Amino acid sequence: MAIMNSYTRNYADNSTEAGFQFTFYCDNCNDGFKSSFVESSTYQKSQGILGLARGAGVLGSFLGGRAHSAGWAVERGANMIADRFDGRSPEWQREHEAAFVRAQEEAVRHFHRCHACHEYVCDSCFNENEGMCVDCAPRQEIYVARARADAMRRNIDEAAATATVWQGAIESKTTVCPQCGKPAGNGKFCNNCGASMALKECPRCGEKNAQGVRFCNNCGENLAASASTGLCPACGMQSPPGTKFCGGCGSKL
């Protein structure tokens, strides 16, 4: 089989025994153009029928969206093609070569050769003003838009790194209500039962302790005993004996 020289090496040979078809790919984005299907006259004679092979496209078409990912394997070089079609009849081989030439003539209208890197690219990847691909000579408006977008992302990241996103006081808070056992929320009273969420103040050392704690975590004072004397463990207000709730903050005594 004679070596076939494509105007671009980035192509796939989709030919079968029934006919010939080729897909040529953009060297930049890999979008592909599939040539028109040409039925093999050798195959027609051997089958005694006329018609197109099943699954083949009759007319050439451009395949967008990185066509190589749709299942076409890109073949580079004539040796791979020769191995694939080894054993075909001489008549079929000649038809194959002629069909390849026609496919190139059909596809070349959809590609441009970059004068800098010499790759073949589709219309979308060619800067017609400079005569080069967009990798070698990016379109000015696109490059400017991309640079602005990159700068915007950098500015946002830098501003976010130095931004103060929380200004609350760093302090301990009771998170679970000692009365109902449910999450208490951020307020001074439980969202569910209304019990005070204020921290108990130790009557001896003044250290603040979580609700439900029986002994001060700083000096060991018995907070339960302090509560029995009428001294509110939450706000420290003295209440009359027998009082069930503090008159200052409403905490249960």
Side-chain angles (χ1 to χ4, degrees), residues 50-103:
L50 295 176
L52 297 176
R54 287 180 297 177
V58 180
L59 300 177
S61 59
F62 203 86
L63 308 169
R66 294 186 176 271
H68 70 296
S69 62
W72 290 286
V74 177
E75 297 176 351
R76 293 180 178 272
N79 291 336
M80 186 176 292
I81 298 175
D83 293 340
R84 180 179 173 185
F85 300 120
D86 187 34
R88 304 292 187 193
S89 67
E91 292 81 6
W92 187 95
Q93 300 283 9
R94 285 193 291 270
E95 285 187 284
H96 184 229
E97 294 174 18
F100 184 71
V101 173
R102 288 196 298 271

Side-chain angles (χ1 to χ4, degrees), residues 198-253:
L199 296 179
K200 292 181 179 181
E201 184 175 340
C202 176
R204 174 191 288 181
C205 68
E207 182 71 16
K208 292 185 179 297
N209 296 268
Q211 292 284 354
V213 174
R214 297 182 61 189
F215 296 92
C216 175
N217 56 27
N218 183 60
C219 68
E221 173 73 6
N222 190 335
L223 301 179
S226 298
S228 65
T229 63
L231 189 64
C232 177
C235 68
M237 181 176 177
Q238 183 70 46
S239 299
T243 305
K244 295 183 178 181
F245 295 93
C246 175
C249 67
S251 296
K252 185 175 181 180
L253 299 178

Side-chain angles (χ1 to χ4, degrees), residues 1-71:
M1 177 179 178
I3 295 178
M4 300 185 296
N5 295 316
S6 169
Y7 72 90
T8 174
R9 293 170 298 174
N10 192 5
Y11 69 95
D13 191 337
N14 311 121
S15 301
T16 65
E17 183 182 5
F20 315 101
Q21 196 166 44
F22 304 85
T23 304
F24 299 89
Y25 298 94
C26 171
D27 287 329
N28 187 57
C29 70
N30 278 317
D31 282 357
F33 175 83
K34 178 174 281 190
S35 65
S36 304
F37 179 80
V38 178
E39 190 172 12
S40 168
S41 58
T42 303
Y43 177 78
Q44 294 177 15
K45 293 175 183 177
S46 65
Q47 297 296 312
I49 59 174
L50 295 176
L52 297 176
R54 287 180 297 177
V58 180
L59 300 177
S61 59
F62 203 86
L63 308 169
R66 294 186 176 271
H68 70 296
S69 62

Side-chain angles (χ1 to χ4, degrees), residues 39-224:
E39 190 172 12
S40 168
S41 58
T42 303
Y43 177 78
Q44 294 177 15
K45 293 175 183 177
S46 65
Q47 297 296 312
I49 59 174
L50 295 176
L52 297 176
R54 287 180 297 177
V58 180
L59 300 177
S61 59
F62 203 86
L63 308 169
R66 294 186 176 271
H68 70 296
S69 62
W72 290 286
V74 177
E75 297 176 351
R76 293 180 178 272
N79 291 336
M80 186 176 292
I81 298 175
D83 293 340
R84 180 179 173 185
F85 300 120
D86 187 34
R88 304 292 187 193
S89 67
E91 292 81 6
W92 187 95
Q93 300 283 9
R94 285 193 291 270
E95 285 187 284
H96 184 229
E97 294 174 18
F100 184 71
V101 173
R102 288 196 298 271
Q104 291 183 82
E105 294 173 350
E106 182 181 1
V108 72
R109 299 190 299 271
H110 302 281
F111 295 90
H112 309 270
R113 188 171 188 264
C114 175
H115 296 295
C117 64
H118 309 300
E119 290 189 341
Y120 286 85
V121 297
C122 63
D123 291 337
S124 297
C125 297
F126 187 70
N127 186 337
E128 58 282 346
N129 294 329
E130 303 295 339
M132 291 182 284
C133 71
V134 293
D135 277 353
C136 295
R139 294 188 179 92
Q140 178 176 313
E141 62 277 10
I142 295 177
Y143 193 84
V144 169
R146 180 176 178 179
R148 284 174 57 85
D150 290 341
M152 178 188 67
R153 284 193 291 268
R154 289 195 303 270
N155 291 342
I156 292 174
D157 291 341
E158 292 170 359
T162 59
T164 300
V165 296
W166 187 72
Q167 296 180 341
I170 305 297
E171 59 182 353
S172 297
K173 288 188 176 181
T174 302
T175 57
V176 177
C177 177
Q179 298 296 325
C180 65
K182 295 182 179 180
N186 298 324
K188 294 183 178 180
F189 298 90
C190 175
N191 293 337
N192 298 286
C193 69
S196 174
M197 290 294 102
L199 296 179
K200 292 181 179 181
E201 184 175 340
C202 176
R204 174 191 288 181
C205 68
E207 182 71 16
K208 292 185 179 297
N209 296 268
Q211 292 284 354
V213 174
R214 297 182 61 189
F215 296 92
C216 175
N217 56 27
N218 183 60
C219 68
E221 173 73 6
N222 190 335
L223 301 179

